């Protein structure tokens, strides 16, 4: 059953409820005695967390050290600035004008210049690359740094 849930987590973006429902269907189809709801919920959450952490560790290992450091530097708020460089790159132009369009294109060029597109993501299933963060994922530089730190620090799956 763990292998089934782990395979679903690796191959899809299903949330915990959908994983729970699919696991129940799998148990019924395979004529396995159903565990309690709480037990099954904990198992799905545990396997999901372990698989997601393994994915993040795999991606983290593929990132070159210089790129990793430049990404960390994006989280820092420069002196005499109110927001981090990451927030500046995330924020789209607020006005519709020629100068705003030019600023938006410059911002896109800056993002492309970071080099994150050079990281090999072929180890990640295509379904998992549709959205970089889960729905409850980080927003803002402080939360992003903490989220990735937790993902990297999660124990390896056995």
């Amino acid at each position: 059953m763990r292998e089934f849930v782990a395979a679903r987590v690796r191959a899809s973006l299903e949330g915990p409820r959908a994983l729970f429902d699919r696991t129940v269907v799998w148990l019924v189809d395979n004529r396995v005695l159903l565990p309690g709801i709480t037990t099954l919920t904990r198992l799905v959450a545990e396997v999901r967390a372990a698989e997601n952490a393994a994915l993040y560790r795999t991606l983290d290992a593929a990132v070159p050290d210089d790129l990793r450091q430049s990404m960390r530097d994006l989280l820092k708020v420069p002196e005499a600035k109110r927001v981090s460089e990451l927030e500046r790159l995330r924020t789209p132009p607020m006005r519709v004008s020629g100068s705003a369009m030019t600023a938006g294109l410059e911002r896109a060029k800056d993002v492309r210049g970071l080099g994150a597109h050079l990281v090999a993501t072929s180890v990640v299933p295509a379904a998992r690359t549709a959205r970089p963060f889960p729905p409850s994922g980080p927003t803002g530089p402080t939360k992003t740094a903490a989220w990735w730190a937790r993902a990297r620090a999660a124990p390896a799956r056995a």
Side-chain angles (χ1 to χ4, degrees):
M1 176 171 53
R2 281 182 173 273
E3 292 81 18
F4 171 77
V5 176
R8 292 297 312 167
V9 171
R10 281 190 297 269
S12 70
L13 286 173
E14 294 174 339
R17 184 174 179 154
L19 285 170
F20 179 89
D21 292 344
R22 285 188 179 270
T23 304
V24 169
V25 170
W26 184 87
L27 290 169
V28 170
D29 288 348
N30 289 289
R31 299 179 185 266
V32 176
L33 183 64
L34 292 173
I37 291 174
T38 304
T39 304
L40 191 56
T41 301
R42 287 181 183 154
L43 177 110
V44 167
E46 176 186 312
V47 171
R48 186 170 182 251
E51 288 299 319
N52 284 334
L55 173 66
Y56 301 137
R57 277 193 306 278
T58 302
L59 283 173
D60 187 53
V63 177
D65 289 334
D66 57 334
L67 177 59
R68 182 178 291 114
Q69 186 57 47
S70 68
M71 292 293 161
R72 283 188 187 133
D73 291 343
L74 289 176
L75 300 173
K76 296 176 184 170
V77 178
E79 198 65 36
K81 297 277 187 173
R82 295 180 65 179
V83 296
S84 69
E85 183 65 9
L86 175 66
E87 191 63 24
R88 183 191 70 81
L89 294 172
R90 284 184 60 225
T91 307
M94 300 304 270
R95 292 175 287 150
V96 179
S97 67
S99 60
M101 178 63 78
T102 303
L105 291 171
E106 284 296 320
R107 188 173 58 94
K109 185 174 123 186
D110 292 345
V111 169
R112 179 92 172 151
L114 294 172
H117 64 284
L118 301 174
V119 176
T121 58
S122 58
V123 294
V124 180
R128 294 300 304 266
T129 59
R131 184 172 64 205
F133 295 113
S136 61
T139 57
T142 305
K143 291 181 182 178
T144 303
W147 192 77
W148 279 111
R150 281 193 309 273
R152 278 194 300 277
R157 62 185 165 100

